[in-house]
Amino acid sequence: MPYLMINLDDLSDCQRGHRQLGGRLHRAGVDPLPEGREGRGGPCGPGKRGKQNRGGDQQDAVKEGPAGLPLKQKLNRISKRGVWRFVAGIAKLDETPRSLAELDEALSLQPNKMRSTKAIFAKLENRFDIRFLKLAEDAGDDAAGNPRYIMPPRIRKFVREMVV
């Protein structure tokens, strides 16, 4: 592991070291500017990185990365992935709520394929802040006791447009 040498008499060297340490703390999942006096991000006042200083809560902050893209661009990126054929297959089906086992049958997949595919969906869903399947509250469970899902109408519409 390399050591960081900083000349404390050189302002630019201190700033470079501060950036490197902040980046390393950020990658480690540690907030480099913990709450300090009056909630202003550490003892030295507000920091440049503090989202709480932008006039709103973190929930109000604009989504960054793939999650901040418009839906059509999100789906366009996802269409280049291997799971797209399953997303497109579900969108082509009628809007009847189905369990994962029923989706396997409707798409002529091997048993439990949709279960493993839904696990792969989760990674993309979290990255792009999108849900391909949501729980159908009023549909009940299938014969085996599995919950039924639906594809949200807006997602279904855009996927169908892209598949045509």
Side-chain angles (χ1 to χ4, degrees), residues 5-20:
M5 299 292 288
I6 300 173
N7 179 358
L8 297 177
D9 294 326
D10 182 8
L11 180 62
S12 65
D13 200 35
C14 288
Q15 289 172 337
R16 179 184 54 82
H18 185 262
R19 280 192 311 272
Q20 287 179 337

Side-chain angles (χ1 to χ4, degrees), residues 25-88:
L25 286 171
H26 181 72
R27 285 189 301 275
V30 178
D31 184 8
L33 298 171
E35 290 293 321
R37 285 183 279 141
E38 301 166 11
R40 291 189 297 181
C44 299
K48 292 180 182 178
R49 295 184 196 186
K51 290 183 181 179
Q52 67 271 18
N53 299 323
R54 294 186 184 158
D57 292 342
Q58 287 184 347
Q59 290 88 5
D60 295 339
V62 176
K63 295 177 184 170
E64 296 178 13
L69 294 172
L71 180 59
K72 195 161 191 168
Q73 287 182 12
K74 289 178 187 181
L75 292 173
N76 192 21
R77 284 190 180 188
I78 294 169
S79 71
K80 296 174 175 87
R81 309 272 178 146
V83 296
W84 179 253
R85 66 185 179 111
F86 301 107
V87 174

